[in-house]
Amino acid sequence: MGGDAYGGVKLVGRRTRRPLKSAKARRRNLILSGVLSVGVLAGTGVVWAAPTRIGTVDAGVTEAAPRGAMNILLVGVDKRDDLTRKQQNELKLGRESGQRTDTMMVIHLSEDHSRVTVVSLPRDTWLTIPGKGNHKINSAYQFGGPKLARQTVEQATGLRINRYIEVNVLGFINVVDSLGGVTVCTPVPIKDPKAGLDLAAGTHELKGIQALGYARTRATARSDLDRIDRQQQVISALLNRALSASTLANPARLNSFVNSTLSTIKVDPDDDLIGLATQLRDVSLDNVKFADVPLANVDFKAPTGESAVLWDKQASRDLFARIKADEDLSKPSPSPSSSTSSSPSAKPTIPPDRIALKVLNGTLITGLGARTKTALVAAGFHVSGTPGNTKRKDYKKTVVRYGPGREDSARTVAAAIPGADLVQMDEDGIEVIVGSDQPKISKVKTSTTPSAKPTTTPVTKTATQNICKK
């Protein structure tokens, strides 16, 4: 599909200051801009010159009631036809022409307008595109534009799409720069010459071009799945920076952010952005929640020879049924939830070479952390940095700690460390705290067979939880 790209953006240039609107109107536009910034990350490329007004595109959506739940499809478009070779080189792009999409996102606004749920649809999803047969989901736009992209998502999710927003992703660079950059944190080093990215593990302040490279790179163990996590992190960082005192108290920065965001999008001709802004005025960072589509196979080989992913049919059906019913995904489903998929004894499904983790020595035994890292690397895991030490030195048993959404990967790690305890934590990633049991690391065989009883309560993270801890 042509690979990742930025497309186009106006790298420099000041905007003419406009008269300030009322505080309430600015607040509505700010929230709208922040949520629309989700769409700015939905793909990896757009046109070079930002439009002077919001453009329109016909997606044939079914309009929602003025005061009700709604589903928004955000699609990022990669178009680089208008770029000079110098611009392509500066932004680390290839030279293919045409338009293509990458990750799509479905955003659900609850009926009471208090919650926003964002579900990323992996760009490598293998499914049936209406009238075109089986392909990756990011082919739908190339085959039939906005209408076919919408129809494909509706068929796959069972949701009716009420609004369509197409994003000029390169405008994301201007959005980030209008806020003075964003703060991100990566648990592993990322080196991707194609994206112009060379980051050590840790926290970083990124400007526009670097932030877009961070959001689009796939140069980590879990490839596109890690990229989705980073996109959600950057979206949360954008919202946090947009709603900070440094933005709200700075009229020039606030105005630049709103204008930069709104200039990156196209909407269905019948869309009412002012009405949408009104419905989003009460949403807070704690009420913006992210969820991932449950996957049955992350290493599917398509008949075409392409690498793709397959959804867990039952679990994904349950996920979108709950969204359709306007349920809060962070709360248990009304139906009993199976503990099979979260049990330590469940068969691991994520291979070690797709898992990045860190090691901490929880004892006074010198060199135990280093020896454990060596054994984990030999078993196929990616272990970042030099093993550190915990404050406590009295761990008897080895513990595998995992962040939200990492249960499947944690089970693989636990399977490689017989007797280790599995413990969920609030932070991202996976870490092994080595105890005085001095575990022996074994190699793990994984299965891509989905659980017979998939969990009915998906893991979610709020925008607040995605923000880097200082």
Side-chain angles (χ1 to χ4, degrees):
M1 289 303 297
D4 291 315
Y6 295 107
V9 65
K10 183 162 58 177
L11 295 176
V12 296
R14 294 182 177 274
R15 300 181 184 276
T16 302
R17 183 175 294 184
R18 300 178 181 176
L20 295 179
K21 300 178 181 179
S22 70
K24 187 174 182 179
R26 292 202 309 273
R27 173 75 178 180
R28 284 202 305 266
N29 281 343
L30 180 63
I31 294 293
L32 171 62
S33 298
V35 175
L36 291 181
S37 292
V38 172
V40 173
L41 290 169
T44 53
V46 293
V47 294
W48 185 267
T52 57
R53 61 183 178 82
I54 297 174
T56 59
V57 62
D58 184 10
V61 298
T62 302
E63 188 174 0
R67 296 289 298 176
M70 70 174 65
N71 300 307
I72 306 167
L73 175 61
L74 285 153
V75 175
V77 178
D78 171 359
K79 183 182 180 183
R80 50 186 106 163
D81 302 40
D82 300 330
L83 298 181
T84 66
R85 180 162 296 187
K86 180 180 178 181
Q87 291 165 341
Q88 290 175 339
N89 290 338
E90 183 177 4
L91 296 173
K92 307 294 184 182
L93 301 179
R95 296 188 177 117
E96 300 91 341
S97 61
Q99 287 196 133
R100 50 192 66 79
T101 64
D102 276 306
T103 305
M104 299 174 178
M105 293 184 179
V106 173
I107 297 180
H108 176 79
L109 176 62
S110 66
E111 185 174 5
D112 63 4
H113 312 138
S114 66
R115 290 179 286 107
V116 172
T117 303
V118 183
V119 182
S120 299
L121 310 181
R123 65 181 234 167
D124 291 339
T125 296
W126 189 259
L127 45 58
T128 301
I129 296 176
K132 301 295 181 180
N134 293 331
H135 297 275
K136 289 185 179 181
I137 195 171
N138 65 349
S139 301
Y141 189 99
Q142 188 178 44
F143 286 139
K147 286 187 176 180
L148 187 56
R150 174 191 57 78
Q151 291 169 359
T152 301
V153 171
E154 287 186 335
Q155 177 174 280
T157 65
L159 299 174
R160 177 173 292 180
I161 299 300
N162 310 114
R163 294 181 184 272
Y164 175 93
I165 299 177
E166 187 172 296
V167 178
N168 236 341
V169 181
L170 251 191
F172 167 69
I173 294 176
N174 284 339
V175 172
V176 171
D177 286 339
S178 73
L179 293 173
V182 293
T183 303
V184 302
C185 41
T186 173
V188 297
I190 301 177
K191 190 167 186 177
D192 184 359
K194 292 182 179 179
L197 207 62
D198 189 358
L199 300 176
T203 301
H204 301 271
E205 185 77 13
L206 304 182
K207 298 300 183 182
I209 291 179
Q210 254 195 322
L212 187 53
Y214 180 79
R216 78 181 183 94
T217 183
R218 299 205 290 178
T220 52
R222 296 169 66 240
S223 189
D224 192 46
L225 303 182
D226 280 339
R227 191 176 78 140
I228 288 174
D229 290 342
R230 285 191 295 275
Q231 288 177 351
Q232 294 176 354
Q233 182 189 133
V234 174
I235 291 164
S236 302
L238 267 176
L239 288 169
N240 183 52
R241 185 65 62 90
L243 294 173
S244 68
S246 63
T247 299
L248 294 174
N250 187 330
R253 174 175 288 184
L254 180 59
N255 198 44
S256 177
F257 169 64
V258 172
N259 289 335
S260 294
T261 301
L262 296 183
S263 70
T264 69
I265 65 175
K266 291 183 179 180
V267 300
D268 192 272
D270 295 328
D271 216 336
D272 175 16
L273 280 180
I274 294 178
L276 177 58
T278 299
Q279 297 197 44
L280 295 174
R281 68 182 183 272
D282 297 324
V283 175
S284 70
L285 289 179
D286 288 333
N287 292 328
V288 178
K289 297 177 182 177
F290 298 90
D292 296 331
V293 177
L295 301 177
N297 191 343
V298 297
D299 194 25
F300 175 70
K301 296 299 180 185
T304 59
E306 299 172 273
S307 294
V309 299
L310 295 179
W311 293 5
D312 183 320
K313 292 183 179 180
Q314 183 59 52
S316 60
R317 189 180 298 121
D318 291 344
L319 169 70
F320 291 113
R322 293 194 61 187
I323 291 175
K324 188 174 184 178
D326 202 31
E327 294 180 19
D328 185 342
L329 297 184
S330 64
K331 297 179 179 179
S333 172
S335 58
S337 175
S338 166
S339 60
T340 302
S341 64
S342 59
S343 168
S345 63
K347 194 167 184 179
T349 58
I350 308 298
D353 63 1
R354 289 182 176 272
I355 300 173
L357 52 87
K358 66 179 181 180
V359 173
L360 297 172
N361 188 348
T363 74
L364 293 172
I365 303 173
T366 303
L368 181 58
R371 293 199 301 273
T372 303
K373 172 183 176 178
T374 299
L376 286 168
V377 170
F381 295 94
H382 297 268
V383 183
S384 62
T386 302
N389 299 299
T390 58
K391 292 182 179 180
R392 281 178 50 195
K393 307 296 181 184
D394 59 349
Y395 280 87
K396 302 295 184 183
K397 292 186 65 178
T398 296
V399 178
V400 177
R401 302 178 73 220
Y402 62 93
R406 302 303 301 274
E407 290 91 341
D408 289 344
S409 295
R411 280 203 306 275
T412 300
V413 179
I417 311 175
D421 288 337
L422 270 173
V423 178
Q424 186 167 5
M425 61 181 179
D426 293 332
E427 293 82 9
D428 290 333
I430 298 176
E431 63 183 25
V432 174
I433 299 177
V434 191
S436 57
D437 56 350
Q438 301 188 49
K440 293 183 178 180
I441 311 300
S442 58
K443 292 191 175 182
V444 180
K445 291 184 178 181
T446 58
S447 170
T448 57
T449 304
S451 301
K453 296 181 180 179
T455 178
T456 56
T457 304
V459 175
T460 62
K461 292 183 70 176
T462 67
T464 301
Q465 291 171 324
N466 270 330
I467 296 168
C468 297
K469 304 294 188 298
K470 294 184 179 180

